[in-house]
């Protein structure tokens, strides 16, 4: 090899190292081994990785260094030939209750996108598949289904809401309309002044009386456009003879009951978003088994004065440092009465968030998330509203291959991989085109987890419950999927706790990183891993 193909280390003295000099080949699978206390981790992490991080920090602007801090030079005379370094250590992925295997691998992000684009909606009342039509399709269906039949063209104005609706009825009269259908019965507008304000009502405006035929198509099209405008994209047709009603909409609607659903978006399936999470547990899947009035018994007291019981009064702690950062970001004072604070702030402090907040100043500052005070309260139960799925009820109406996103998230990775590959024969032509790139990303990322022996995990598994080895292998799988090249990866005893079969998968994954143009360095004493290495570095005793 040429000189440039080596990492050359001179005079490494960190911890137990005694002036170590060595050259380690780049682009190879290297195992650093040695007796306990010999300094193998000191060489890999406290010397090579530390120097790589320091050099990276030196490339940043003075302004950036002010926020990220300054790293001291490790105890080594010189290191040449370093590549950008990524360390994957034996440690857990944190205790944030909102983090799951699906979120940290980003598989759940793509799954949310798949459900937003390729799922089918089913009526919460009848279970029938919900439909949506274009303007032209609605006109054609009316012409076809009601040809030469007398019918009413209706626009839904109010759906199951309480009120007297005196002003609405007056506005409709002024526009020249003469009839409405209220709670299933037709009425002359002039005969209705106000409704019972304490009862929920269904109000539909009679836009036109139709008897569809070819010669009336132009008029019918005009009436349908007007009805869609009044009904905000939805209309109904009532057969005069039978009284049967059919519903048509540009949005998702049940053709039998007229129940509609909003168009799904990725955030509709997110337990970190108000649009998707269960309103009862705020996306945690568990609830603290105490009344919120016990947590905040007197909302006239400020946070600083101990208004949130589990926090106590303000003091110099890491938790209060984060809460001070939250107050700066959201523009409120810890000395304001809690009742004056926005609801989203109280929810964030109690239940936590993945949002990052800056704590500390200058070189000691860092960006951290806040897990909320729920972790300080021991009595927790599975949320009775969502059953631990973390999502609101509306997400259960959207399915792919008969499965909700929560059911898919609960699958083991091995089962999930099989299901994803089966969708090629399940999705319709339109859905297949839309989902093609999303499915490819999902299949690739699940394959990376299978490669590192994590087929038994599920996407909804909380990261706080993962072992250090599982967390390390998840990060390794993520790196395999990143497709980086010319990077030096350093791992800390990744074989700990692995079955021989899974350890062989892990070794194959490490060699895959090497084959893609990277250097792989592993601190390890496992015999099988050492035998598989391209190069062995024995630090030796002491």
């Amino acid at each position: 090899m040429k000189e440039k193909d080596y990492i050359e280390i001179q005079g490494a003295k960190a911890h137990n190292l005694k002036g170590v000099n060595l050259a380690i080949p780049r682009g190879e699978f290297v195992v650093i081994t040695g007796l306990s206390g010999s300094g193998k981790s000191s060489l890999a992490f406290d010397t090579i990785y530390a120097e790589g991080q320091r050099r990276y920090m030196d490339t940043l602007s003075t302004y950036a260094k002010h926020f990220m801090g300054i790293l001291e030079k490790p105890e080594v005379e010189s290191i040449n030939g370093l590549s950008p370094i990524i360390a994957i250590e034996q440690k857990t992925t944190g205790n944030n209750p909102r983090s799951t295997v699906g979120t940290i691998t980003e598989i759940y992000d793509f799954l949310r996108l798949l459900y937003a684009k390729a799922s089918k909606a089913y009526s919460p009342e009848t279970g029938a598949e919900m439909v949506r039509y274009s303007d032209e399709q609605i006109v054609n269906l009316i012409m076809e289904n009601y040809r030469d039949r007398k019918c009413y063209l209706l626009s839904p104005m109010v759906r199951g809401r309480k009120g007297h609706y005196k002003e609405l009825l007056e506005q409709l009269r002024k526009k020249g309309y003469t009839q409405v259908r209220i709670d299933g019965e037709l009425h002359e507008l002039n005969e209705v002044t106000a409704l019972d304000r304490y009862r929920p009502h269904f109000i539909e405006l009679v836009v036109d009386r139709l008897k569809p035929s070819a010669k009336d198509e132009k008029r019918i099209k005009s009436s349908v456009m007007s009805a869609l405008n009044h009904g905000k994209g939805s209309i109904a047709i009532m057969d005069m003879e039978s009284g049967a009603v059919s519903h048509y909409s540009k949005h998702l609607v049940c053709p039998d009951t007229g129940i509609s659903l909003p168009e799904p978006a990725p955030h509709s399936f997110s337990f970190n978003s108000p649009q998707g999470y269960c309103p009862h547990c705020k996306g945690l899947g568990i609830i603290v088994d105490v009344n919120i009035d016990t947590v905040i018994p007197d909302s006239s007291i400020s946070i600083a004065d101990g208004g949130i019981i589990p926090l106590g009064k303000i003091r110099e702690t890491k938790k209060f440092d984060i809460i001070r950062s939250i107050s700066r970001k959201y523009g409120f004072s810890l000395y304001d009465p809690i009742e004056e604070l926005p609801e989203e702030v109280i929810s964030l402090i109690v239940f936590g968030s993945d949002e990052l907040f800056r704590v500390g100043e200058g070189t000691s500052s860092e960006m951290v998330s806040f897990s909320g005070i729920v972790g300080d309260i021991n009595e927790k139960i599975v949320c009775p509203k969502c059953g631990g799925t973390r999502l609101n009820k509306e997400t259960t109406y959207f399915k792919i291959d008969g499965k909700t996103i929560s059911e898919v998230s609960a699958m083991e990775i091995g089962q999930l991989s099989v299901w994803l590959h089966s969708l090629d024969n399940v999705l319709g032509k339109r859905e297949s085109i839309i989902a093609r790139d999303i499915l490819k990303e999902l299949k690739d990322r699940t394959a990376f987890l299978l490669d590192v022996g994590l087929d038994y995990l599920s996407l909804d598994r909380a990261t706080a419950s993962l072992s250090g080895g599982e967390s390390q292998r998840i990060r390794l799988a993520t790196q395999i999927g990143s497709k980086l090249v010319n990077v030096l990866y350093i791992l800390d005893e990744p074989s700990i706790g692995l079955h021989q079969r899974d350890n062989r998968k892990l070794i194959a994954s490490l060699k895959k990183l090497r084959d893609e143009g990277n250097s792989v360095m592993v601190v390890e004493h496992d015999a099988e891993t050492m035998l598989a290495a391209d190069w062995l570095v024995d630090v030796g005793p002491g």
Side-chain angles (χ1 to χ4, degrees):
M1 288 187 181
K2 299 178 181 178
E3 184 177 343
K4 66 177 181 179
D5 294 324
Y6 284 84
I7 299 171
E8 294 186 332
I9 302 167
Q10 296 291 325
K13 301 175 183 177
H15 302 301
N16 292 337
L17 299 176
K18 308 298 182 184
V20 171
N21 304 319
L22 75 159
I24 301 174
R26 291 163 45 122
E28 301 287 351
F29 174 25
V30 177
V31 170
I32 300 176
T33 189
L35 298 176
S36 178
S38 61
K40 52 186 183 293
S41 293
S42 297
L43 175 63
F45 293 100
D46 298 328
T47 303
I48 298 174
Y49 175 63
E51 177 64 8
Q53 288 296 94
R54 187 189 68 82
R55 292 185 185 182
Y56 167 71
M57 295 289 284
D58 280 348
T59 67
L60 300 179
S61 66
T62 303
Y63 179 77
K65 290 177 184 177
H66 173 73
F67 292 101
M68 299 188 69
I70 299 173
L71 296 179
E72 294 184 2
K73 189 178 187 302
E75 294 185 72
V76 62
E77 293 176 8
S78 67
I79 300 181
N80 297 316
L82 278 183
S83 303
I85 302 175
I86 295 176
I88 307 177
E89 298 179 78
Q90 275 273 10
K91 61 181 180 180
T92 59
T93 51
N95 295 316
N96 193 318
R98 293 185 176 276
S99 294
T100 66
V101 170
T103 59
I104 63 171
T105 59
E106 298 182 351
I107 293 176
Y108 190 72
D109 296 334
F110 285 97
L111 194 62
R112 290 192 292 113
L113 184 60
L114 179 68
Y115 267 79
K117 299 297 183 182
S119 64
K120 293 180 179 179
Y122 295 86
S123 170
E125 290 291 328
T126 66
E129 184 177 339
M130 302 182 81
V131 293
R132 64 169 73 83
Y133 301 109
S134 65
D135 297 347
E136 185 178 356
Q137 285 176 317
I138 291 173
V139 173
N140 291 339
L141 285 168
I142 293 173
M143 295 295 296
E144 179 182 340
N145 296 338
Y146 291 90
R147 184 174 296 275
D148 297 327
R149 292 164 57 186
K150 293 181 180 180
C151 54
Y152 291 107
L153 176 60
L154 309 174
S155 287
M157 308 293 289
V158 175
R159 293 171 174 163
R161 299 199 308 271
K162 295 179 181 180
H164 55 68
Y165 296 106
K166 185 176 180 179
E167 293 81 4
L168 173 63
L169 296 171
E170 181 60 31
Q171 289 174 5
L172 296 177
R173 274 192 291 269
K174 289 180 178 180
K175 290 180 179 179
Y177 293 103
T178 60
Q179 282 186 306
V180 288
R181 185 171 181 254
I182 301 174
D183 300 333
E185 295 184 6
L186 288 169
H187 296 271
E188 295 296 322
L189 262 171
N190 289 333
E191 298 175 358
V192 184
T193 55
L195 306 179
D196 185 345
R197 66 181 300 177
Y198 300 108
R199 286 182 53 198
H201 297 288
F202 293 83
I203 302 175
E204 296 160 301
L205 171 65
V206 178
V207 176
D208 203 352
R209 299 173 185 83
L210 306 175
K211 189 177 180 181
S213 63
K215 65 179 181 179
D216 292 331
E217 185 171 352
K218 185 175 181 180
R219 174 200 161 187
I220 291 171
K221 184 174 182 180
S222 176
S223 294
V224 168
M225 295 301 107
S226 178
L228 286 169
N229 182 52
H230 282 295
K232 297 181 179 178
S234 297
I235 64 169
I237 301 292
M238 178 180 172
D239 190 297
M240 287 188 184
E241 184 175 335
S242 66
V245 177
S246 296
H247 299 269
Y248 302 92
S249 180
K250 296 164 67 174
H251 314 297
L252 288 168
V253 66
C254 172
D256 299 320
T257 65
I259 293 174
S260 62
L261 292 175
E263 290 293 326
H267 63 237
S268 304
F269 303 94
S270 171
F271 45 78
N272 286 317
S273 166
Q275 287 82 8
Y277 65 44
C278 167
H280 191 62
C281 67
K282 300 294 190 295
L284 292 173
I286 56 174
I287 59 172
V288 179
D289 196 18
V290 295
N291 193 302
I292 193 67
D293 292 334
T294 306
V295 177
I296 308 176
D298 186 354
S299 59
S300 67
I301 299 175
S302 69
I303 293 175
D305 290 329
I308 301 179
I309 298 301
L311 280 176
K313 292 186 177 181
I314 193 168
R315 56 196 184 279
E316 295 302 319
T317 65
K318 179 67 173 291
K319 187 162 290 186
F320 267 107
D321 286 343
I322 299 174
I323 292 175
R324 289 187 186 94
S325 179
I326 293 172
S327 73
R328 290 193 295 271
K329 189 166 185 176
Y330 282 86
F332 68 93
S333 171
L334 298 184
Y335 295 89
D336 292 336
I338 292 175
E339 61 191 8
E340 296 181 7
L341 303 184
E343 185 178 339
E344 63 177 325
V345 167
I346 300 302
S347 176
L348 192 158
I349 293 174
V350 174
F351 298 104
S353 169
D354 273 341
E355 190 175 355
L356 294 177
F357 303 94
R358 182 170 297 285
V359 175
E361 297 180 358
T363 58
S364 62
S365 67
E366 58 179 333
M367 299 296 290
V368 298
S369 60
F370 185 56
S371 59
I373 65 168
V374 290
D376 299 331
I377 305 172
N378 295 323
E379 298 300 322
K380 301 182 182 71
I381 60 172
V382 174
C383 175
K385 298 295 184 181
C386 67
T389 66
R390 302 170 179 246
L391 298 172
N392 61 37
K393 188 176 181 181
E394 284 71 24
T395 62
T396 64
Y397 305 143
F398 295 89
K399 299 179 180 181
I400 294 178
D401 190 26
K403 293 178 173 59
T404 66
I405 192 169
S406 297
E407 291 171 334
V408 173
S409 297
M411 292 179 178
E412 291 186 352
I413 299 298
Q415 296 174 313
L416 175 62
S417 178
V418 172
W419 182 75
L420 289 171
H421 283 84
S422 74
L423 293 183
D424 295 333
N425 301 318
V426 171
L427 297 177
K429 184 177 180 180
R430 174 182 170 276
E431 288 81 9
S432 293
I433 294 173
I434 294 172
R436 180 179 56 201
D437 292 340
I438 305 172
L439 278 175
K440 181 181 183 303
E441 196 69 35
L442 283 166
K443 291 173 184 176
D444 287 347
R445 288 174 182 259
T446 53
F448 299 145
L449 289 176
L450 294 176
D451 288 344
V452 296
L454 295 175
D455 54 303
Y456 58 90
L457 293 182
S458 60
L459 297 184
D460 62 1
R461 172 84 173 266
T463 55
S465 69
L466 298 174
S467 69
E470 288 170 335
S471 299
Q472 182 178 217
R473 294 197 295 280
I474 285 176
R475 289 195 293 272
L476 174 61
T478 303
Q479 289 302 321
I480 294 173
S482 69
K483 304 295 184 182
L484 294 175
V485 295
N486 296 322
V487 171
L488 169 59
Y489 289 98
I490 303 179
L491 290 90
D492 183 20
E493 298 185 346
S495 69
I496 289 180
L498 278 185
H499 185 277
Q500 188 178 38
R501 172 182 60 87
D502 291 332
N503 190 35
R504 288 172 181 170
K505 287 184 178 181
L506 177 64
I507 292 170
S509 297
L510 296 174
K511 289 187 174 182
K512 184 176 182 179
L513 278 177
R514 176 205 61 191
D515 294 341
E516 290 177 348
N518 300 293
S519 302
V520 179
M521 189 177 296
V522 178
V523 175
E524 187 61 272
H525 55 76
D526 172 73
E528 188 169 16
T529 307
M530 288 191 286
L531 288 171
D534 302 320
W535 194 277
L536 195 62
V537 176
D538 189 349
V539 178

